[in-house]
Amino acid sequence: MKMQKSVCVAVLLGATTSIAQAQTEAGKLLLGGYINYSSTKTNTTPLNATPGTNTAKNFNVGPKIGVFVANNLVLGLGVATSYNKQVSSYTDNTNTNPFQYTNTFTVKGIEAGPFVRYYWMIDEKIGFYGQLIGGYQHQKQSSVSTSSNYYTSEGKSNGGYATVLPGFVFFPTEKFGLELMAGNFSYSKWKGNNRSNMSQSSSNYTSSSILTNFGLQYLTIGASLYLGKG
């Protein structure tokens, strides 16, 4: 009787493992990506100024394609574009003639590179994954300030990046997965140029950064198709 129970347990575990790997088995194709949009508005009152507002809008799109080169292991290529805009506005009362101050800062970016992803499936429906992606990135920044003077600046930067991304995946069907991400750990290195209308000159710079971004404010929902075998 004990032997029969052991055999049944072994068969059950084997079946569960087989099912859990059905979506992530070698030879399958991964097609997916994410779309993320956020908008915030806060009230602020700088010193000697009337109440003003700060608004921020962020939009990100990141498609990807990959191949399962082994069970649970994907190699592929990812591309991401981003658009971020921040606007600050208030009335400055420090002068005899108060003036309206508005600053608009915009950043547009694109990045592309290879990625590797590994899945840890809990059962046939849910699991976790870790993803490493790196490659080339480009950004274009612009700033426009209107107050007692009109000030503009523009900049472009290029560089490389590497990002470690943990995530959660849920499979409502065998070929469709919903993904949930709440942040990442990243490294970036930039080389760029800035130019303003005030100085009529340009300046070059290099920078690098290591960022850890986790929390509900970084929550991103994605979706993927798992095509091929089965």
Side-chain angles (χ1 to χ4, degrees):
M1 181 64 68
K2 291 184 178 179
M3 182 177 295
Q4 290 178 346
K5 288 183 178 179
S6 299
V7 171
C8 290
V9 171
V11 171
L12 180 59
L13 289 175
T16 302
T17 302
S18 176
I19 293 173
Q21 292 181 349
Q23 300 94 332
T24 61
E25 62 183 346
K28 280 201 168 183
L29 181 67
L30 175 70
L31 296 175
Y34 64 86
I35 297 177
N36 184 31
Y37 173 79
S38 64
S39 178
T40 60
K41 182 177 182 180
T42 57
N43 296 322
T44 181
T45 306
L47 184 64
N48 297 321
T50 59
T53 59
N54 289 331
T55 61
K57 295 183 179 181
N58 302 286
F59 181 70
N60 303 275
V61 179
K64 64 179 181 292
I65 181 171
V67 176
F68 283 87
V69 296
N71 287 347
N72 303 320
L73 180 63
V74 182
L75 295 180
L77 178 67
V79 178
T81 61
S82 61
Y83 176 82
N84 306 296
K85 184 177 181 179
Q86 298 181 28
V87 180
S88 300
S89 179
Y90 61 87
T91 301
D92 192 326
N93 295 316
T94 56
N95 296 322
T96 304
N97 297 317
F99 59 83
Q100 178 71 27
Y101 172 86
T102 302
N103 180 71
T104 303
F105 181 68
T106 306
V107 180
K108 300 177 182 179
I110 185 170
E111 57 186 39
F115 74 87
V116 56
R117 175 187 286 195
Y118 190 82
Y119 290 79
W120 291 271
M121 297 301 299
I122 297 176
D123 58 27
E124 70 275 13
K125 292 290 187 181
I126 60 176
F128 296 91
Y129 64 84
Q131 179 173 292
L132 171 64
I133 184 170
Y136 168 81
Q137 58 184 354
H138 171 79
Q139 279 190 355
K140 183 177 180 180
Q141 310 93 19
S142 65
S143 180
V144 178
S145 297
T146 58
S147 57
S148 56
N149 294 310
Y150 182 75
Y151 174 80
T152 63
S153 67
E154 293 183 349
K156 293 182 179 180
S157 55
N158 303 283
Y161 74 99
T163 301
V164 177
L165 175 71
F168 170 82
V169 61
F170 168 69
F171 291 94
T173 69
E174 182 177 326
K175 294 185 178 181
F176 180 73
L178 293 174
E179 301 170 2
L180 186 66
M181 299 149 280
N184 59 66
F185 175 82
S186 64
Y187 169 79
S188 296
K189 187 172 184 179
W190 297 94
K191 184 177 181 180
N193 176 274
N194 283 325
R195 182 180 180 87
S196 70
N197 69 330
M198 298 292 287
S199 61
Q200 293 298 320
S201 63
S202 61
S203 60
N204 300 320
Y205 68 90
T206 58
S207 67
S208 60
S209 63
I210 297 177
L211 299 175
T212 302
N213 301 314
F214 290 99
L216 293 178
Q217 66 269 37
Y218 303 106
L219 188 65
T220 302
I221 298 174
S224 294
L225 293 175
Y226 295 74
L227 307 176
K229 295 182 178 181

